[in-house]
Each structure stands twice: as C-alpha cells, then as structure tokens.
C-alpha cells in the first residue's frame, strides 16, 4: 500500500488525542504552527521568557547506519535536539520535523510506524509537542528543530552559554563518556570497514560490554533536568556531541581561557568499563573518553564555591556528575596525570570532514 503525503501526515504525525504543550496554540494542519506565551503554567512559555531554538539534521550513512532500528532512530533524532536545549538550560516546548523519505512502500510504512514510536515516547516524556514539519521524497534525511523556554530574571537571560567560564572554575561532566565511540568502532569492525584503526581489537571485547556501548550510541539520554537545575549555578555549559577535547575547545575559545583535565578521573568515565574492568587498557579508555563523540552529556563549569550547589542539582536531576578539571587563565588545553605531569600525544576530536 502506497501512502500519500497527507494520509501519511494524518496517520503518523497528527496526534489529536496526545497532550499538547500549552505553548502550542495551533499545531499541525495549517500553513504555520502558532506558539503563545501563557503565564503560570509549569511547562509553558512564560510571557517574560526567551525562546531557545536548535536544529539538527541526521543524514543516512553520515549520522546513522541504513539498517539502524527505526525506533531507536526516532528517539535519537529528538534526543540530540533536546540535548541542545538542555545545554542552554531551556525547558522543551515543541518541535518541528522535516523528513525526506526514499519511498512509500509497506516496508517504509512499518519503518515510519517504529520511528514515530521512538520519537513520541521521548517527546511525551518531556512534554514536547510535534507542532509541524514537512514531508518530501528523497534520500532518507531527518531534520528536527526544537523550541524551548528560558526564563529571564530582572530582564537578564538565565540561558547557560559557552562563553561564561572563568579561571578557577571547576570543569564538570554528566553521566559517562566514550561508550558511543566504542560502539561505533565495534560496529564498523563488524562490517569489515578497513579504514577502521585496529578493527580486530574492538571485536575481542565481551558482548555485554558492546551491548551497553551500543545502547549509549543509539539511545542517548538528553540531560534536560540537569540543564534546568544548573541555571544560576553553572558559568558555562554545552552538550558533548563531537568529543570532549574538541567540544571543550569551544568553551575555552568563547570564554577566552584555558583548561587542565585530570586523566585519572577521565579514564573511569567509560560506562562499559564498569561491566568489565579489565577488557580495555587505561590509555584505550582515556582515548575513547577524550576524543569520542555522540555522548550527549553536559559539559559545564562552575565556581569552586558552588560545589555543593552542583551536587544538589545533580541529585535533583537524578543525574551523576564528575569533576574532571579546572579552568585556567593560560590558554590551551592540558591533560595531566595524577602527578600533574602533562600527557604526551594529540587527542583529535571526531570531525565529520576529517
Ligand atoms: P505547506 O505546503 O503549507 O508547507 P504541507 O502540505 O507541507 O504544508 O503540510 C501540511 C501540514 O502538515 C502543515 O501543518 C505541516 O506543518 C504539517 N506537516 C507536514 N509534514 C510534517 C511532518 N513530517 N511532521 C509534522 N508535521 C508535518
Ligand atoms: Mg510543505
């Protein structure tokens, strides 16, 4: 059965029975969606707030494998956008979905069904409403734009930005790092990708370890509650999508400062390491954590005087955080060992164009 564009929208994207975020005055069906401010409702867009807006595009072959589980893909497509909202301390309101689909076969319809299941499960968990989009034929491509609310206080924005880090700040990271990269290396090795460095190595690892790593790659958890809890505490914040070293540079450049990272703290951050403490060497773990990517954790800085406030925010958000270093006045990034000695070697960030 070949579905027409409007049938497809009506059947899979227009959800009349679903709860709608109070900011969405008009959703799918007209030429524009309408967002409105509403005073006094916890999930709404308050009259004095700012709109936070973020777009991410996922392209088949570049950001996901063609045979990836569509339900996981639906989750991830929205998760990466919610992660951007979290990084700014924004509360999710609504999103749009621009979708290019290669065909309208029965198999594709089953794919869309699974994709939207993953998408809406995450959307509903965050009270974030699909309010519009576009559907067209073309190579599989998913583009989501998410809208969130950031309050102002006495006219000042409460948004968390990359530019606020100060020398002396602690550097913190949420959750765990490096597992998504580990999974990517293992999947590429399974597929016989010859350009994959040390491919055989990644296939030797215990299957349960690779399973956990794969879940981190395919179903990242956007740290929305932590982003909200860090407003007024963090000086700078961003989400990790390209790898710790490369992404931290963005904070350092925007804030005009440098940093020191503690290698012994970092090599413990791999979640799959907790399943099998001997499968990977410490340098292997360190390299995955430093130059991984696709982690979707929050990287933030806060004054040392706010350590208790950070711990409370982490508890409130039910999200673990780890202190991994310090912001310094001297520019550049230094990774040091337990004795404070600089590590040798260059840790490149994952770069789509490299
Ligand atoms: P227009 O031609 O005016 O851009 P469309 O015919 O493309 O409108 O879309 C009709 C309605 O369906 C619009 O409200 C649009 O926002 C919505 N829509 C289209 N595709 C999607 C999608 N993939 N997800 C959510 N809403 C969609
Ligand atoms: Mg259109």
């Amino acid at each position: 059965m070949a579905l027409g564009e409007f049938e497809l929208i009506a059947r899979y994207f227009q959800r009349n029975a679903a709860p709608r975020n109070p900011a969405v005055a008009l959703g799918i069906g007209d030429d524009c969606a309408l967002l409105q401010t509403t005073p006094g409702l916890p999930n709404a867009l308050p009259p004095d707030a700012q709109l936070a807006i973020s777009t991410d595009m996922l392209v088949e072959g570049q950001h996901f494998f063609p045979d990836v589980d569509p339900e996981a893909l639906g989750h991830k497509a929205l998760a990466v956008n919610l992660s951007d909202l979290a990084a700014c301390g924004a509360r999710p309101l609504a999103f749009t979905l621009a979708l290019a689909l290669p065909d309208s076969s029965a198999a594709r319809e089953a794919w869309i069904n699974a994709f939207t299941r993953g998408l809406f499960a995450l959307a509903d968990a965050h009270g974030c409403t699909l309010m519009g989009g576009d559907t067209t034929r073309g190579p599989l491509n998913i583009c989501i734009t998410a809208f969130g609310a950031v309050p102002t206080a006495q006219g000042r924005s409460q948004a968390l930005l990359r530019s606020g880090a100060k020398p002396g700040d602690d550097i913190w990271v949420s959750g765990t790092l490096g597992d998504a990269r580990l999974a990517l290396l293992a999947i590429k090795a399974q597929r016989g990708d010859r350009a994959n460095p040390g491919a055989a190595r990644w296939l030797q690892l215990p299957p349960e370890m690779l399973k956990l790593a794969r879940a981190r790659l395919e179903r990242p958890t956007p740290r929305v509650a932590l982003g909200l809890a860090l407003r007024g505490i963090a000086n700078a914040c961003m989400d990790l999508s390209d790898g710790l070293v490369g992404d931290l540079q963005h904070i350092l450049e925007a804030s005009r400062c440098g940093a020191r990272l503690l290698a012994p703290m970092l090599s413990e951050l791999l979640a799959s390491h907790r399943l099998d403490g001997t499968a990977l060497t410490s340098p292997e773990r360190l390299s995955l954590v430093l130059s991984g990517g696709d982690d979707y954790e929050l990287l933030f800085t806060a004054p040392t005087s706010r350590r208790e406030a950070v711990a409370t925010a982490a508890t409130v958000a039910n999200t673990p955080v780890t202190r991994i270093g310090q912001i310094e006045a001297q520019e550049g990034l230094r990774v040091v060992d337990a004795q404070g000695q600089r590590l040798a070697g260059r840790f490149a960030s994952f770069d789509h164009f490299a």
Side-chain angles (χ1 to χ4, degrees):
M1 175 191 46
L3 264 189
E5 178 190 341
F6 296 106
E7 240 178 309
L8 193 138
I9 294 167
R11 188 173 301 175
Y12 292 104
F13 299 118
Q14 208 157 12
R15 301 163 76 227
N16 296 319
R20 189 187 266 190
N21 186 290
V24 181
L26 183 67
I28 294 172
D30 217 303
D31 291 306
C32 286
L34 297 174
L35 281 181
Q36 70 184 2
T37 62
T38 316
L41 289 174
N43 261 342
L45 178 63
D48 54 353
Q50 293 179 321
L51 262 185
I53 303 169
S54 166
T55 297
D56 265 294
M57 184 147 64
L58 297 185
V59 177
E60 186 179 73
Q62 180 75 16
H63 301 100
F64 59 91
F65 295 108
D67 57 352
V68 72
D69 169 16
E71 186 168 348
L73 187 61
H75 170 97
K76 184 163 178 176
L78 182 60
V80 300
N81 281 279
L82 294 183
S83 178
D84 283 322
L85 293 184
C88 287
R91 183 183 293 285
L93 301 169
F95 67 105
T96 62
L97 168 67
L99 197 58
L101 295 169
D103 59 83
S104 54
S105 62
R108 180 60 60 191
E109 206 185 327
W111 186 96
I112 295 168
N113 198 4
F115 175 82
T116 49
R117 215 169 34 241
L119 180 84
F120 288 131
L122 186 64
D124 292 350
H126 290 277
C128 189
T129 299
L130 178 62
M131 63 173 172
D134 200 20
T135 307
T136 169
R137 193 164 290 226
L140 187 58
N141 187 328
I142 303 154
C143 182
I144 288 182
T145 301
F147 297 73
V150 181
T152 56
Q154 281 97 46
R156 284 192 54 200
S157 174
Q158 300 281 94
L160 302 174
L161 303 178
R162 299 176 178 189
S163 52
K166 305 265 185 312
D169 276 4
D170 292 319
I171 303 173
W172 298 83
V173 72
S174 67
T176 57
L177 299 183
D179 298 281
R181 179 62 157 183
L182 176 61
L184 190 66
L185 290 166
I187 293 170
K188 284 187 165 178
Q190 276 160 9
R191 284 162 198 259
D193 182 339
R194 280 159 199 239
N196 190 15
R201 173 74 185 104
W202 311 115
L203 293 175
Q204 290 161 3
L205 299 174
E208 68 275 16
M209 195 169 161
L210 292 178
K211 191 173 163 214
L212 189 148
R214 192 167 182 144
R216 292 281 296 143
L217 175 68
E218 293 182 351
R219 299 189 67 93
T221 306
R223 302 301 192 180
V224 173
L226 183 64
L228 296 178
L230 287 174
R231 292 196 303 227
I233 298 170
N235 277 340
C237 187
M238 71 180 298
D239 73 319
L240 290 171
S241 53
D242 293 339
L244 175 60
V245 166
D247 282 337
L248 178 56
Q249 305 281 6
H250 297 309
I251 287 185
L252 301 184
E253 276 163 30
S255 304
R256 293 165 197 271
C257 48
R260 147 187 309 249
L261 290 180
L262 305 169
M265 308 293 297
L266 294 174
S267 53
E268 296 304 314
L269 280 176
L270 199 76
S272 43
H273 174 59
R274 293 166 196 174
L275 282 184
D276 187 328
T278 57
L280 288 169
T281 66
S282 167
E284 281 173 333
R285 284 183 277 133
L286 184 62
S287 166
L288 287 168
V289 168
L290 280 174
S291 59
D294 261 335
D295 294 307
Y296 300 102
E297 294 292 352
L298 295 187
L299 174 69
F300 59 98
T301 83
T304 54
S305 61
R306 304 304 305 276
R307 281 181 188 172
E308 257 179 59
V310 170
T312 304
T315 305
V316 166
N318 195 19
T319 307
V321 296
T322 308
R323 192 148 47 80
I324 57 168
Q326 213 92 45
I327 296 291
E328 297 178 328
Q330 187 198 344
E331 286 189 12
L333 176 58
R334 294 156 286 281
V335 183
V336 301
D337 63 19
Q339 285 72 45
Q341 294 296 310
R342 254 186 107 160
L343 295 193
R346 241 185 93 248
F347 296 98
S349 161
F350 184 73
D351 180 344
H352 293 296
F353 297 101

PDB file of all heavy atoms in Angstrom, residues 230-247:
ATOM      1  N   LEU A 230      20.852  23.472  36.620  1.00  0.00           N
ATOM      2  CA  LEU A 230      22.138  24.186  36.639  1.00  0.00           C
ATOM      3  C   LEU A 230      22.000  25.687  36.365  1.00  0.00           C
ATOM      4  O   LEU A 230      22.977  26.426  36.465  1.00  0.00           O
ATOM      5  CB  LEU A 230      23.099  23.573  35.611  1.00  0.00           C
ATOM      6  CG  LEU A 230      23.685  22.210  35.985  1.00  0.00           C
ATOM      7  CD1 LEU A 230      24.494  21.638  34.831  1.00  0.00           C
ATOM      8  CD2 LEU A 230      24.563  22.314  37.243  1.00  0.00           C
ATOM      9  N   ARG A 231      20.778  26.138  36.033  1.00  0.00           N
ATOM     10  CA  ARG A 231      20.585  27.588  35.827  1.00  0.00           C
ATOM     11  C   ARG A 231      20.908  28.315  37.122  1.00  0.00           C
ATOM     12  O   ARG A 231      20.496  27.900  38.194  1.00  0.00           O
ATOM     13  CB  ARG A 231      19.137  27.883  35.417  1.00  0.00           C
ATOM     14  CG  ARG A 231      18.805  27.351  34.037  1.00  0.00           C
ATOM     15  CD  ARG A 231      17.537  27.959  33.467  1.00  0.00           C
ATOM     16  NE  ARG A 231      16.370  27.779  34.300  1.00  0.00           N
ATOM     17  CZ  ARG A 231      15.175  27.369  33.863  1.00  0.00           C
ATOM     18  NH1 ARG A 231      15.002  27.098  32.583  1.00  0.00           N
ATOM     19  NH2 ARG A 231      14.159  27.266  34.677  1.00  0.00           N
ATOM     20  N   GLY A 232      21.697  29.377  36.987  1.00  0.00           N
ATOM     21  CA  GLY A 232      22.073  30.136  38.177  1.00  0.00           C
ATOM     22  C   GLY A 232      23.244  29.518  38.929  1.00  0.00           C
ATOM     23  O   GLY A 232      23.690  30.070  39.936  1.00  0.00           O
ATOM     24  N   ILE A 233      23.736  28.361  38.493  1.00  0.00           N
ATOM     25  CA  ILE A 233      24.881  27.704  39.143  1.00  0.00           C
ATOM     26  C   ILE A 233      26.074  27.615  38.182  1.00  0.00           C
ATOM     27  O   ILE A 233      27.188  28.026  38.510  1.00  0.00           O
ATOM     28  CB  ILE A 233      24.505  26.287  39.630  1.00  0.00           C
ATOM     29  CG1 ILE A 233      23.385  26.371  40.680  1.00  0.00           C
ATOM     30  CG2 ILE A 233      25.724  25.567  40.201  1.00  0.00           C
ATOM     31  CD1 ILE A 233      22.789  25.023  41.044  1.00  0.00           C
ATOM     32  N   ALA A 234      25.853  27.062  36.996  1.00  0.00           N
ATOM     33  CA  ALA A 234      26.947  26.902  36.026  1.00  0.00           C
ATOM     34  C   ALA A 234      27.294  28.250  35.398  1.00  0.00           C
ATOM     35  O   ALA A 234      26.416  29.055  35.112  1.00  0.00           O
ATOM     36  CB  ALA A 234      26.537  25.908  34.942  1.00  0.00           C
ATOM     37  N   ASN A 235      28.588  28.475  35.195  1.00  0.00           N
ATOM     38  CA  ASN A 235      29.031  29.678  34.480  1.00  0.00           C
ATOM     39  C   ASN A 235      29.001  29.473  32.970  1.00  0.00           C
ATOM     40  O   ASN A 235      28.797  30.410  32.210  1.00  0.00           O
ATOM     41  CB  ASN A 235      30.464  30.053  34.890  1.00  0.00           C
ATOM     42  CG  ASN A 235      30.495  30.855  36.185  1.00  0.00           C
ATOM     43  OD1 ASN A 235      29.477  31.442  36.576  1.00  0.00           O
ATOM     44  ND2 ASN A 235      31.634  30.884  36.840  1.00  0.00           N
ATOM     45  N   ALA A 236      29.296  28.235  32.533  1.00  0.00           N
ATOM     46  CA  ALA A 236      29.271  27.901  31.108  1.00  0.00           C
ATOM     47  C   ALA A 236      28.752  26.476  30.976  1.00  0.00           C
ATOM     48  O   ALA A 236      28.932  25.664  31.884  1.00  0.00           O
ATOM     49  CB  ALA A 236      30.669  28.012  30.500  1.00  0.00           C
ATOM     50  N   CYS A 237      28.112  26.187  29.849  1.00  0.00           N
ATOM     51  CA  CYS A 237      27.582  24.829  29.641  1.00  0.00           C
ATOM     52  C   CYS A 237      27.436  24.562  28.150  1.00  0.00           C
ATOM     53  O   CYS A 237      27.163  25.469  27.369  1.00  0.00           O
ATOM     54  CB  CYS A 237      26.211  24.705  30.330  1.00  0.00           C
ATOM     55  SG  CYS A 237      25.526  23.028  30.326  1.00  0.00           S
ATOM     56  N   MET A 238      27.659  23.316  27.758  1.00  0.00           N
ATOM     57  CA  MET A 238      27.369  22.869  26.393  1.00  0.00           C
ATOM     58  C   MET A 238      27.098  21.376  26.430  1.00  0.00           C
ATOM     59  O   MET A 238      27.370  20.730  27.443  1.00  0.00           O
ATOM     60  CB  MET A 238      28.535  23.186  25.448  1.00  0.00           C
ATOM     61  CG  MET A 238      29.762  22.330  25.666  1.00  0.00           C
ATOM     62  SD  MET A 238      31.107  22.758  24.511  1.00  0.00           S
ATOM     63  CE  MET A 238      30.341  22.377  22.938  1.00  0.00           C
ATOM     64  N   ASP A 239      26.557  20.836  25.333  1.00  0.00           N
ATOM     65  CA  ASP A 239      26.406  19.376  25.308  1.00  0.00           C
ATOM     66  C   ASP A 239      27.499  18.780  24.426  1.00  0.00           C
ATOM     67  O   ASP A 239      28.022  19.428  23.521  1.00  0.00           O
ATOM     68  CB  ASP A 239      25.006  18.941  24.868  1.00  0.00           C
ATOM     69  CG  ASP A 239      24.759  19.143  23.385  1.00  0.00           C
ATOM     70  OD1 ASP A 239      25.171  20.182  22.850  1.00  0.00           O
ATOM     71  OD2 ASP A 239      24.144  18.251  22.768  1.00  0.00           O
ATOM     72  N   LEU A 240      27.897  17.556  24.764  1.00  0.00           N
ATOM     73  CA  LEU A 240      29.011  16.899  24.090  1.00  0.00           C
ATOM     74  C   LEU A 240      28.495  16.082  22.923  1.00  0.00           C
ATOM     75  O   LEU A 240      27.834  15.067  23.123  1.00  0.00           O
ATOM     76  CB  LEU A 240      29.750  15.995  25.077  1.00  0.00           C
ATOM     77  CG  LEU A 240      30.544  16.734  26.156  1.00  0.00           C
ATOM     78  CD1 LEU A 240      31.050  15.756  27.206  1.00  0.00           C
ATOM     79  CD2 LEU A 240      31.707  17.500  25.538  1.00  0.00           C
ATOM     80  N   SER A 241      28.782  16.525  21.702  1.00  0.00           N
ATOM     81  CA  SER A 241      28.381  15.737  20.536  1.00  0.00           C
ATOM     82  C   SER A 241      29.579  15.307  19.704  1.00  0.00           C
ATOM     83  O   SER A 241      29.552  14.271  19.070  1.00  0.00           O
ATOM     84  CB  SER A 241      27.388  16.514  19.675  1.00  0.00           C
ATOM     85  OG  SER A 241      27.892  17.782  19.349  1.00  0.00           O
ATOM     86  N   ASP A 242      30.643  16.095  19.704  1.00  0.00           N
ATOM     87  CA  ASP A 242      31.796  15.782  18.840  1.00  0.00           C
ATOM     88  C   ASP A 242      32.983  15.196  19.584  1.00  0.00           C
ATOM     89  O   ASP A 242      34.003  14.889  18.977  1.00  0.00           O
ATOM     90  CB  ASP A 242      32.246  17.033  18.090  1.00  0.00           C
ATOM     91  CG  ASP A 242      31.200  17.479  17.078  1.00  0.00           C
ATOM     92  OD1 ASP A 242      30.375  16.637  16.693  1.00  0.00           O
ATOM     93  OD2 ASP A 242      31.218  18.652  16.696  1.00  0.00           O
ATOM     94  N   GLY A 243      32.903  15.089  20.909  1.00  0.00           N
ATOM     95  CA  GLY A 243      34.032  14.579  21.686  1.00  0.00           C
ATOM     96  C   GLY A 243      34.508  15.626  22.676  1.00  0.00           C
ATOM     97  O   GLY A 243      34.484  16.824  22.392  1.00  0.00           O
ATOM     98  N   LEU A 244      34.954  15.163  23.827  1.00  0.00           N
ATOM     99  CA  LEU A 244      35.287  16.053  24.946  1.00  0.00           C
ATOM    100  C   LEU A 244      36.338  17.103  24.580  1.00  0.00           C
ATOM    101  O   LEU A 244      36.141  18.293  24.819  1.00  0.00           O
ATOM    102  CB  LEU A 244      35.770  15.197  26.136  1.00  0.00           C
ATOM    103  CG  LEU A 244      36.265  15.957  27.357  1.00  0.00           C
ATOM    104  CD1 LEU A 244      35.177  16.842  27.942  1.00  0.00           C
ATOM    105  CD2 LEU A 244      36.765  14.974  28.420  1.00  0.00           C
ATOM    106  N   VAL A 245      37.463  16.664  24.008  1.00  0.00           N
ATOM    107  CA  VAL A 245      38.552  17.617  23.736  1.00  0.00           C
ATOM    108  C   VAL A 245      38.105  18.697  22.759  1.00  0.00           C
ATOM    109  O   VAL A 245      38.288  19.892  23.016  1.00  0.00           O
ATOM    110  CB  VAL A 245      39.793  16.865  23.190  1.00  0.00           C
ATOM    111  CG1 VAL A 245      40.785  17.834  22.588  1.00  0.00           C
ATOM    112  CG2 VAL A 245      40.446  16.081  24.310  1.00  0.00           C
ATOM    113  N   GLY A 246      37.496  18.269  21.651  1.00  0.00           N
ATOM    114  CA  GLY A 246      37.076  19.238  20.642  1.00  0.00           C
ATOM    115  C   GLY A 246      35.997  20.170  21.170  1.00  0.00           C
ATOM    116  O   GLY A 246      36.023  21.376  20.928  1.00  0.00           O
ATOM    117  N   ASP A 247      35.048  19.619  21.916  1.00  0.00           N
ATOM    118  CA  ASP A 247      33.945  20.442  22.403  1.00  0.00           C
ATOM    119  C   ASP A 247      34.394  21.404  23.508  1.00  0.00           C
ATOM    120  O   ASP A 247      33.957  22.552  23.543  1.00  0.00           O
ATOM    121  CB  ASP A 247      32.792  19.551  22.883  1.00  0.00           C
ATOM    122  CG  ASP A 247      31.973  18.997  21.717  1.00  0.00           C
ATOM    123  OD1 ASP A 247      32.000  19.614  20.630  1.00  0.00           O
ATOM    124  OD2 ASP A 247      31.318  17.956  21.885  1.00  0.00           O
TER     125      ASP A 247
END
